[in-house]
Amino acid sequence: MQSQDVAPRHAPASAAPGVGLEQAEAALVEHYPRLVRLAYLVLPPGLGRGRRVLTAHALAQRALPRGRTRPSAAPAPAPSAIPAQASGRDGDPGYAFVRLRVLRTALEAARPRRVLPRLAQLPPLLPQVWGLRLFPRSGGADELALDQRLSALSGPARAAYVLRGLEKLPDPEVHRILRSAGVEHPETALAEAGGVPAQDALLSSPEFDPCSLQARPTDLVRRRQHTKAALAAAAALAVCGALVALPGGGWGPDGAAAPVYAQNPAAEAALDPAQLIRVTPTAWESAARSDFSVWPARGPLTRDTALLRRALAVWARPGETVRVSATPGTRTGGPAGPPQLLYAGRVDGARVVILYDGLRVVRYAEPEDGTSGAALDFARVDGATGAEAGALVLGRADGNVRYLTAPWVRKAAERDLMKPGAAATPLTLTDGVTTPLASPALQTGSCTSWNVLQLTDDTGTRLATDLGELVPARLTAGRPGAVGEASGAAGLQTWAPFACSLAMERSAGVRSVNAWDFARQQLPEAGGSGQWVCTRAETWRGDGTAALAQFRTPGGPVGAVVAKGTDARACGPRDPHVLAGVLWKSGTGTWYLLAAGGPGTASVRASGGVTAEGRGPLLAAKARQGVQATLKGTLADGRTISGLH
């Protein structure tokens, strides 16, 4: 169910300082989605997404006063004290009162537990959902990075960050509200929150909306076993006792994994760290293929049996507190048999294990001081060879990314794709692990650079870019069917003005992206030469490909996306043709419709808002601002193609 997060109305300056039950109830009903979102963001992430959702709703629903009237604990500030962007939020005394009660109980839940827990720290009696797991929709890499930064803050600091970003309150007002909510040192919370960059728009994303939820069943097999266990408690205890003594004397606790309720010999064999496939360091030198199957096991923790056991158990049975992500089209089930170990070590304050089962790469990460907050990431890699199996993401932190490279990689470097003439910056390789480099998947704001990974082996030099997933996307350049590596001089020149368009392909399961400079067009009124480029992203699942037609004006620093086709064959090896158009304004203020097709286009015709026809692959016709036209092209073999939309 989708929520509507409506900003509270500004109350008149004469609003009474007392808040009655009706006024508080009206504020709760009108602004319920906002109050639940605020509670969800302030609650400790260690609760898990499902528990946080139910607790956030419970705190909001318990925010009404018990009596008919009650003096407001947070009277609305004078209108002159409210900034313009927040004047619609904090002026309603009813809303300010209910918000304070929600904030106070959320902060109580975030405090360390005593011998007797507080009410807010207990699982909510209501609401409850039986048989389903509810959690917000997953966001992109930006939301994930923000959630990780917020999880490192204290409860008061999270509250300060949310009041600043979501409620748009100035620091003096945040200080006053935190003090009213029982925070002893609000100035410390404000200072701590200031260490996280402001990303106000992300706080309003579906990732943090506990009123717009996805539903998944709980473990169905486990539920059946639970029912049987309730009818035969003694037998269940015997089974649990047997499971404690696993084969070989036991492998240690399963950490963040869900409990086991039934034994399956084949599944248990896949969870035995001793059965992990380990490839010798020199296997790749004589192998017939260059793929992940010949990667050796690397990292200082490859013999940490307890860590490997936890990684395998969480893969098979991720608990409710485990954050699971997967590229589109990737299964998230457990391994069918013992997987291959690629890496186990410490990366930027976390213990990381990377496994491979022939079709997927799986990354398990847990904090160094425990297993709370563990993460499990899946990526589809079936058919990956050569350049597509050249590197994996080990971790991201502080705007940087660190890679594990293939054993055949001799050198690694960082290159700004927007500066084709600049030299690449060498990266140090330690047992295949690179030093950190800036990640474009984590950058926010305006796009002024796009740093990519440059890898060199005995067969050449290649480029790959981080798009927020486990496997970086390979970058190529050239005409479909005859593409080459983007690392050459021509490829770098082609990509430079269009690098920022790669941001549109984040978290889409992209395997590779090709840039094709398909046309150059002399502009009317001696306007110079315009550049037409088609970038096509291929996905691991085959469908969902995106073709972007982009146009760059003479001397323009970057190109502009003028058309996009999803699941289109244009610009691809199956149909190496493309047609696109754009409205362009000349130096004299005259508007023109410009259109261009790839090689082999015999004529271009426009209809609708502009009627014109030209021989060859190019068309330029006078037009009106804002006019819309339909483009059709005829190929040399007589076939008709349509323009990308």
Side-chain angles (χ1 to χ4, degrees):
M1 182 176 67
Q2 298 291 336
S3 64
Q4 292 184 354
D5 202 357
V6 182
R9 294 188 298 271
H10 178 56
S14 60
V19 176
L21 178 61
E22 293 81 4
Q23 190 174 9
E25 185 177 25
L28 177 63
V29 172
E30 183 177 0
H31 309 303
Y32 183 82
R34 179 184 295 277
L35 293 166
V36 178
R37 183 188 290 263
L38 186 148
Y40 181 83
L41 286 163
V42 175
L43 283 169
L47 292 176
R49 301 178 78 197
R51 171 83 177 275
R52 282 170 73 191
V53 165
L54 296 180
T55 303
H57 282 274
L59 297 183
Q61 293 172 17
R62 294 203 300 257
L64 290 177
R66 292 187 177 88
R68 298 297 301 173
T69 61
R70 177 184 293 257
S72 174
S80 60
I82 305 174
Q85 69 269 27
S87 62
R89 289 200 179 100
D90 218 15
D92 180 0
Y95 174 73
F97 172 73
V98 177
R99 180 183 62 191
L100 179 63
R101 289 175 64 91
V102 171
L103 186 64
R104 182 181 290 126
T105 52
L107 287 172
E108 286 180 359
R111 294 191 183 109
R113 287 201 175 196
R114 302 175 297 187
V115 176
L116 293 177
R118 301 173 177 86
L119 177 62
Q121 294 176 322
L122 296 173
L125 295 177
L126 291 174
Q128 287 290 347
V129 180
W130 296 94
L132 289 177
R133 295 174 57 194
L134 301 178
F135 48 91
R137 300 178 182 277
S138 298
D142 294 339
E143 287 86 347
L144 175 59
L146 176 60
D147 193 43
Q148 292 174 339
R149 291 189 177 102
L150 292 180
S151 66
L153 298 179
S154 64
R158 279 196 305 274
Y161 187 90
V162 173
L163 290 173
R164 276 174 172 169
L166 186 65
E167 297 291 278
K168 307 294 185 184
L169 296 178
D171 282 1
E173 183 65 12
V174 174
H175 187 284
R176 185 187 68 81
I177 293 175
L178 291 178
R179 178 74 70 181
S180 299
V183 178
E184 295 183 0
H185 302 289
E187 61 282 351
T188 303
L190 284 164
E192 186 182 353
V196 178
Q199 294 177 294
D200 299 351
L202 294 183
L203 293 176
S204 299
S205 73
E207 170 86 5
F208 306 117
D209 184 3
C211 290
S212 178
L213 302 173
Q214 296 184 96
R216 293 291 186 274
T218 55
D219 192 320
L220 301 178
V221 174
R222 193 195 317 169
R223 275 162 45 185
R224 292 189 62 183
Q225 295 298 329
H226 217 151
T227 303
K228 294 178 181 178
L231 299 175
L237 288 174
V239 171
C240 291
L243 289 175
V244 170
L246 290 171
W251 303 310
D254 291 353
V260 178
Y261 289 91
Q263 282 186 302
N264 181 317
E268 288 298 330
L271 301 183
D272 183 356
Q275 300 298 319
L276 282 172
I277 299 172
R278 300 168 185 262
V279 176
T280 60
T282 58
W284 65 273
E285 297 178 358
S286 57
R289 297 180 59 185
S290 297
D291 58 11
F292 292 113
S293 68
V294 296
W295 279 34
R298 287 171 287 181
L301 301 181
T302 56
R303 298 299 173 183
D304 188 333
T305 304
L307 171 63
L308 299 178
R309 166 65 185 176
R310 290 195 298 273
L312 291 166
V314 171
W315 181 359
R317 311 181 313 276
E320 291 189 357
T321 62
V322 177
R323 188 183 186 99
V324 180
S325 69
T327 58
T330 306
R331 295 186 302 106
T332 57
Q340 177 182 342
L341 176 63
L342 301 185
Y343 181 84
R346 294 178 176 86
V347 181
D348 298 325
R351 289 187 290 260
V352 174
V353 178
I354 296 184
L355 303 163
Y356 170 66
D357 70 352
L359 296 175
R360 299 169 294 171
V361 167
V362 180
R363 177 183 180 271
Y364 169 78
E366 64 180 27
E368 286 201 69
D369 56 356
T371 60
S372 177
L376 192 65
D377 304 310
F378 293 84
R380 184 173 171 177
V381 292
D382 46 311
T385 59
E388 294 172 344
L392 293 172
V393 171
L394 273 183
R396 301 181 183 89
D398 301 324
N400 295 321
V401 60
R402 195 187 296 267
Y403 293 96
L404 175 68
T405 62
W408 53 82
V409 171
R410 292 190 290 105
K411 292 189 298 182
E414 178 181 12
R415 174 180 288 281
D416 187 348
L417 200 57
M418 299 182 70
K419 298 177 181 178
T425 303
L427 297 172
T428 301
L429 285 177
T430 305
D431 199 17
V433 179
T434 69
T435 48
L437 64 151
S439 171
L442 298 180
Q443 70 181 8
T444 58
S446 59
C447 179
T448 57
S449 64
W450 193 277
N451 295 290
V452 297
L453 176 67
Q454 179 174 289
L455 300 176
T456 302
D457 57 30
D458 292 336
T459 63
T461 300
R462 301 171 177 85
L463 299 183
T465 183
D466 181 16
L467 295 181
E469 298 174 332
L470 273 179
V471 185
R474 179 189 179 191
L475 298 180
T476 59
R479 183 172 180 174
V483 301
E485 299 300 334
S487 56
L492 293 173
Q493 290 292 339
T494 299
W495 264 112
F498 307 98
C500 290
S501 67
L502 288 166
M504 302 177 66
E505 312 301 341
R506 288 174 179 162
S507 303
V510 173
R511 183 172 190 161
S512 64
V513 190
N514 182 62
W516 175 31
D517 187 350
F518 70 89
R520 297 293 177 113
Q521 184 172 21
Q522 293 299 318
L523 304 184
E525 302 182 17
S529 177
Q531 181 184 11
W532 291 90
V533 164
C534 183
T535 58
R536 180 181 173 88
E538 302 285 353
T539 65
W540 288 98
R541 61 192 183 277
D543 61 352
T545 55
L548 303 179
Q550 304 186 60
F551 179 71
R552 180 192 180 198
T553 56
V558 297
V561 176
V562 300
K564 178 178 180 180
T566 303
D567 288 332
R569 297 194 302 174
C571 301
R574 295 179 60 190
D575 190 5
H577 299 285
V578 62
L579 175 63
V582 67
L583 288 176
W584 173 77
K585 185 179 180 180
S586 70
T588 62
T590 303
W591 286 91
Y592 290 87
L593 169 66
L594 305 178
T601 305
S603 63
V604 178
R605 182 175 68 257
S607 60
V610 178
T611 302
E613 186 172 359
R615 295 183 62 83
L618 304 174
L619 174 67
K622 288 187 177 180
R624 299 186 308 276
Q625 182 180 2
V627 72
Q628 294 186 354
T630 300
L631 296 176
K632 294 289 184 181
T634 302
L635 302 179
D637 60 7
R639 186 163 62 93
T640 301
I641 60 173
S642 300
L644 287 175
H645 299 290

